[in-house]
Amino acid sequence: MGIVRGLLGRLDRTGIEPLAWKAPTPPPEPPDPAPEFDDLERWPVPGTSGPEDVAVDHDGRVVTGTVDGAVWRFDRPGLVTRIADTGGRPLGIEVLGDGRYLVCDAERGLLRVDDRGRVETLTDSAAGRPLVACNNAAVTSDGVVYFTDSSARFTIPEHRLDLLEHRGTGRLIRFDPITGDTDVLADGLQFANGVGLASDESFVIVAETGNYSILRVDLGGPTPGRVSVWADNLPGIPDNIASQTEGGVLWVALYSPRMRLLDLMAPYPSLRLLAANLPERLQPDPEQRAWVLGFDGDGTIIRNARGPAGSYSPVTGVREAHGLLHLGSLSADAVARMPVPNAARLPTPGTHV
């Protein structure tokens, strides 16, 4: 295997250096699609695609950003306004207390945007390192921002390479808007992704996409700064997270169900190096199926809604407001919304799709 890996290394076009690891056996999936997806609405974004995240502002309007750098606001279904252009690739979006928007721009860093089109860079580095893949954020009641830099080696368009390499170079970062200072709360994360706050702001959670897990970082109490596993061995690939709702739910978007081939390749760096150098059409491809999970504050799944094959996907953003779940997608041409699932739909032990 070492000889094979050496030969592949000389032919490598990606620069990845995969590490061996063992993926956990996936848990059972729900046996049937959730009925809420029967009532799913789609709101197209004009002439573009990739509304990766969604936020709902103080007036109930949906805000998103697309692949062309635009930030959009839906005043109502069918009425959408292009309110700003970041000049980069907007991903995670949060509504600030003053009505402006916080944008995690994959190319430009952490931004503040208003509906007059003004774009301000808050930071494009942390702890002396530039932001390579600014991804998602959560904001406290006093304006402190917790956000992710997914990888130190690969940009967002190269996310597959980071997952195949599995070296863990992502970060969870805190930004103080008063001082402009940043500090790193957690490093060495496997593609750090979604961020969510507990309703009492006692802890923050962060998705490790490459580990199918979610970490918890304590912000107060007797163990501030402690990092622990909050939920692991998820049935899908976690993406963005929405902070805890008044009803106690922390929503997590799943990019797709787990990919069996990717898990099988985990212990074999040479196979992953080979996969990274294949044409994209031949690389492991995720199943196109919408999926969102809702957790309580202890990391227990209390909502589990999965769409049918070919449904709105990949779901990368989720936000609850006014009895509806608003969904975003890295590559779709529309945002979507559907009724909030009322209860978890957990499969019978031993049942698999």
Side-chain angles (χ1 to χ4, degrees):
M1 187 65 75
I3 295 174
V4 172
R5 188 171 180 181
L7 291 172
L8 287 172
R10 286 196 287 273
L11 298 173
D12 177 45
R13 297 175 289 105
T14 67
I16 74 168
E17 300 175 0
L19 291 179
W21 72 292
K22 181 174 175 55
T25 301
E29 298 180 4
D32 300 302
E36 290 83 3
F37 281 93
D38 295 338
D39 299 320
L40 186 139
E41 306 173 34
R42 296 176 186 242
W43 299 356
V45 285
T48 186
S49 62
E52 196 266 352
D53 196 20
V54 284
V56 180
D57 72 10
H58 304 313
D59 296 317
R61 301 173 299 186
V62 175
V63 183
T64 190
T66 47
V67 68
D68 58 351
V71 178
W72 303 87
R73 187 185 65 221
F74 287 85
D75 295 293
R76 64 174 186 271
L79 179 59
V80 58
T81 301
R82 188 178 184 130
I83 60 174
D85 289 276
T86 68
R89 183 17 169 149
L91 297 176
I93 293 186
E94 298 293 320
V95 179
L96 299 173
D98 61 5
R100 290 183 291 181
Y101 309 113
L102 181 85
V103 177
C104 290
D105 191 291
E107 299 173 8
R108 295 195 53 202
L110 196 65
L111 310 179
R112 185 162 53 203
V113 175
D114 67 20
D115 57 9
R116 295 184 179 182
R118 291 176 293 199
V119 179
E120 175 188 0
T121 300
L122 299 178
T123 185
D124 57 8
S125 65
R129 271 172 40 192
L131 302 178
V132 174
C134 186
N135 195 327
N136 196 236
V139 185
T140 67
S141 56
D142 59 359
V144 174
V145 180
Y146 297 88
F147 71 99
T148 49
D149 186 22
S150 294
S151 172
R153 288 175 44 75
F154 301 103
T155 64
I156 293 296
E158 298 169 323
H159 67 273
R160 289 192 184 203
L161 298 182
D162 192 276
L163 298 177
L164 286 167
E165 183 176 73
H166 203 80
R167 282 192 170 268
T169 60
R171 302 184 287 175
L172 175 67
I173 301 162
R174 176 168 49 200
F175 172 78
D176 186 330
I178 304 299
T179 65
D181 293 337
T182 58
D183 58 301
V184 177
L185 299 188
D187 206 345
L189 305 185
Q190 294 291 346
F191 202 81
N193 205 326
V195 184
L197 272 169
S199 55
D200 64 0
E201 301 184 356
S202 61
F203 65 88
V204 65
I205 58 173
V206 55
E208 275 198 294
T209 297
N211 265 358
Y212 314 131
S213 65
I214 301 173
L215 300 181
R216 165 178 167 151
V217 180
D218 293 347
L219 302 180
T223 57
R226 182 182 67 177
V227 180
S228 58
V229 176
W230 187 76
D232 63 356
N233 196 20
L234 300 180
I237 299 172
D239 207 289
N240 288 347
I241 297 175
S243 292
Q244 195 166 24
T245 66
E246 291 183 1
V249 183
L250 286 144
W251 288 102
V252 177
L254 296 186
Y255 183 89
S256 76
R258 295 262 291 270
M259 299 165 62
R260 177 173 171 77
L261 180 57
L262 188 62
D263 285 357
L264 289 174
M265 291 193 300
Y268 307 108
S270 295
L271 291 181
R272 286 186 282 128
L273 183 61
L274 175 62
N277 282 277
L278 290 173
E280 188 169 336
R281 68 182 185 278
L282 299 178
Q283 292 183 13
D285 200 30
E287 180 183 355
Q288 298 300 299
R289 180 189 291 269
W291 202 346
V292 292
L293 297 177
F295 294 81
D296 66 15
D298 295 323
T300 300
I301 296 174
I302 56 175
R303 301 287 190 273
N304 191 341
R306 190 179 69 150
S311 52
Y312 180 85
S313 59
V315 175
T316 52
V318 58
R319 193 81 55 160
E320 180 181 346
H322 312 298
L324 297 167
L325 280 190
H326 300 79
L327 308 177
S329 171
L330 182 66
S331 57
D333 62 0
V335 299
R337 72 176 187 179
M338 65 182 222
V340 173
N342 291 321
R345 300 174 58 259
L346 300 177
T348 303
T351 300
H352 293 265
V353 174

